[in-house]
Amino acid sequence: MNLTIAEENYIKSIYKLQDGTNSVSTNSIAYELDTKPASVTDMAKKLKEKSLIEYEKYQGITLTHEGKKIALQIVRRHRLWECFLVDKLGFSWEEVHEIAEDLEHVRSEKLTNRLSEFLGNPSTDPHGDPIPDANGKINKPRSSVSLDKATAKRLEIAGVSDQSTSLLEFLNAKGIRLGTHIEVIERYDFDNSVEIKIKNQPALTLSEQVSKTIQVRPI
């Protein structure tokens, strides 16, 4: 199906916001895409005509089977390009999202599959998010919890729930990346901050706000 870049962006945003079978409001999509609810309504009518969404006024929006299939293809391309940019071109994880936003619209299935093979068919992107396979299947990643709730002392960074540039730049400056091993030194009840240690680096303290965004698993 021949879709515009704008249509693909809407489909991906609906997929991101839908969270399983829940419908998504036009206001939520408008906020996500920084546009007006009226513009979302206009696009929803177009996507409904193409049988990519189910939409009734005041009842929210959900992706159809075909809409979800396309969304997973876009997500797959985006996350594979992020892997390529980090693993092969040396970009840091806070730099790749905006570039991948453009590259995800290159729709060649042959290119996407060869890119995946070239990268060794990765299952997660540089931020820890799962990458759908060529059939749209997402393998369930190993379980993880946010750092503020972790009980083990020795942990591995498994991902980040907030992928804003400012947070990723902060974590990168502190030597915290996907796969980094950390040791919890102390937890402070006063402000719920967490003191951690990374090998060969001085101990550092992370605020509750930051620790809530970091996903970890026991080593």
Side-chain angles (χ1 to χ4, degrees):
M1 184 179 295
N2 190 22
L3 300 175
T4 66
I5 289 176
E7 287 171 334
E8 288 192 344
N9 286 336
Y10 270 87
I11 290 170
K12 189 178 74 168
S13 294
I14 295 167
Y15 174 79
K16 176 183 176 182
L17 295 168
Q18 194 168 324
D19 188 23
T21 58
N22 297 330
S23 62
V24 182
S25 70
T26 53
N27 285 337
S28 296
I29 299 170
Y31 181 81
E32 175 72 15
L33 293 172
D34 192 22
T35 189
K36 298 178 180 178
S39 299
V40 177
T41 301
D42 290 341
M43 178 61 77
K45 292 175 182 176
K46 295 178 183 178
L47 295 176
K48 183 178 180 180
E49 288 175 1
K50 295 185 177 183
S51 300
L52 297 177
I53 64 167
E54 295 177 357
Y55 168 63
E56 296 296 336
K57 198 171 183 180
Y58 307 123
Q59 294 184 19
I61 297 170
T62 57
L63 292 172
T64 62
H65 175 75
E66 184 63 23
K68 184 178 179 181
K69 180 181 176 181
I70 291 173
L72 287 166
Q73 291 171 352
I74 300 168
V75 169
R76 171 173 164 79
R77 295 194 297 262
H78 181 101
R79 294 177 181 173
L80 284 172
W81 281 118
E82 287 194 335
C83 287
F84 177 77
L85 291 165
V86 170
D87 297 345
K88 303 302 179 182
L89 297 186
F91 284 84
S92 58
W93 66 350
E94 76 270 15
E95 297 178 298
V96 297
H97 179 74
E98 293 298 325
I99 303 172
E101 285 282 286
D102 293 327
L103 293 171
E104 72 186 26
H105 299 295
V106 179
R107 302 183 183 94
S108 170
E109 184 177 349
K110 186 175 183 179
L111 172 63
T112 303
N113 290 337
R114 287 196 176 182
L115 177 63
S116 181
E117 291 171 7
F118 176 69
L119 294 168
N121 296 312
S123 58
T124 57
D125 72 7
H127 309 106
D129 292 324
I131 299 174
D133 67 16
N135 298 315
K137 180 181 178 182
I138 298 179
N139 291 323
K140 188 176 180 180
R142 289 172 53 199
S143 60
S144 62
V145 297
S146 56
L147 176 57
D148 66 307
K149 295 179 180 178
T151 56
K153 291 287 187 180
R154 297 180 67 249
L155 302 163
E156 176 185 20
I157 305 300
V160 283
S161 58
D162 178 353
Q163 296 178 14
S164 62
T165 300
S166 57
L167 174 67
L168 294 176
E169 284 179 342
F170 171 79
L171 295 177
N172 197 46
K174 301 298 182 182
I176 299 174
R177 304 174 185 85
L178 191 68
T180 298
H181 289 185
I182 65 172
E183 181 181 357
V184 176
I185 305 299
E186 190 66 68
R187 294 180 180 275
Y188 297 99
D189 292 335
F190 173 71
D191 59 359
N192 294 321
S193 60
V194 183
E195 185 178 8
I196 66 168
K197 180 76 170 62
I198 301 171
K199 188 177 180 180
N200 300 326
Q201 293 186 29
L204 64 123
T205 302
L206 300 175
S207 68
E208 180 183 20
Q209 180 183 3
V210 171
S211 63
K212 282 183 174 181
T213 70
I214 301 174
Q215 293 293 307
V216 295
R217 61 173 66 101
I219 298 174

